[in-house]
Amino acid sequence: TVKLCQNVNFIHGQNGSGKSAVLAAIQICLGAGAKRTHRARNLKELIRKDAGSGCAGAKVRVTLLNRGDDGYKRDEYGDLITVERSISRSGYNGYKLFSARMKEISRSKKDLDAMQDQLNIEVENPVAVLDQEEAKKFLTVKLEDKYNLFRKAMELERLNQVGRYEGTRLRIYEGDN
């Protein structure tokens, strides 16, 4: 169990101490694909190989605060939401969402996505979750690529798509063009 604070967390430690494994577990539990973690091509590759033949899979749980006016379905979930992701060697993987009292509420990825949208959780956003590989890339890429990272982090494309849906379009100033 790793307890994190409710705002910004920096995970640090010596090489090989498990920093990247903790970050990957959080990302996977909250819906990121295995490739996003830079640790595997698919989810079943994340299951420890030395766990033995009796190990059919893995489970990861993340418990989130669900307080305030912008909480997600507070009457159903209460002050906490626990997300559980199961990964099996056979390829099955699924989600469960639990209330503060650990009552299973949903197994739907749609509900997980809706909850993340409501709570503004962005596991695919490189600024929200900056792993070692993304940090290295940022230090070595061209200015244009840094700008593209900025656009992704600020969700400018998503805002434009929402704007198109609502009949408007953002005008993004991009220098002297």
Side-chain angles (χ1 to χ4, degrees), residues 96-170:
K96 292 181 184 176
L97 277 69
F98 295 92
S99 70
R101 296 189 171 164
M102 292 308 291
K103 177 185 174 204
E104 184 181 317
I105 304 293
S106 176
R107 292 181 176 215
S108 166
K109 176 75 162 78
K110 275 187 176 180
D111 289 340
L112 174 65
D113 292 341
M115 181 267 302
Q116 288 179 322
D117 193 44
Q118 178 71 30
L119 299 179
N120 200 24
I121 297 171
E122 305 172 33
V123 293
E124 297 283 342
N125 186 326
V127 174
V129 180
L130 183 62
D131 62 31
Q132 189 174 7
E133 293 302 315
E134 291 293 325
K136 284 179 190 175
K137 265 196 256 180
F138 185 75
L139 291 173
T140 60
V141 297
K142 297 180 281 184
L143 192 57
E144 180 182 335
D145 294 329
K146 286 182 183 177
Y147 178 70
N148 289 334
L149 175 69
F150 167 78
R151 286 178 60 92
K152 184 175 179 183
M154 296 294 108
E155 297 189 301
L156 296 180
E157 289 305 315
R158 183 172 157 255
L159 289 173
N160 263 336
Q161 289 171 355
V162 169
R164 275 188 226 120
Y165 173 75
E166 295 175 357
T168 62
R169 181 158 167 77
L170 290 177

Side-chain angles (χ1 to χ4, degrees), residues 54-66:
C55 176
K59 286 186 182 179
V60 182
R61 281 188 176 171
V62 172
T63 300
L64 305 164
L65 290 177
N66 189 40

Side-chain angles (χ1 to χ4, degrees), residues 2-66:
V2 177
K3 290 197 179 252
L4 303 172
C5 79
Q6 67 185 37
N7 295 316
V8 175
N9 292 274
F10 294 94
I11 301 172
H12 61 90
Q14 295 179 322
N15 287 344
S17 62
K19 303 176 297 294
S20 295
V22 169
L23 187 58
I26 293 168
Q27 289 175 293
I28 292 299
C29 188
L30 295 177
K35 288 181 183 178
R36 174 67 178 97
T37 68
H38 305 287
R39 299 178 71 81
R41 291 177 306 230
N42 58 56
L43 290 174
K44 60 185 172 184
E45 288 180 10
L46 292 169
I47 300 169
R48 286 180 50 160
K49 290 166 185 55
D50 61 352
S53 59
C55 176
K59 286 186 182 179
V60 182
R61 281 188 176 171
V62 172
T63 300
L64 305 164
L65 290 177
N66 189 40

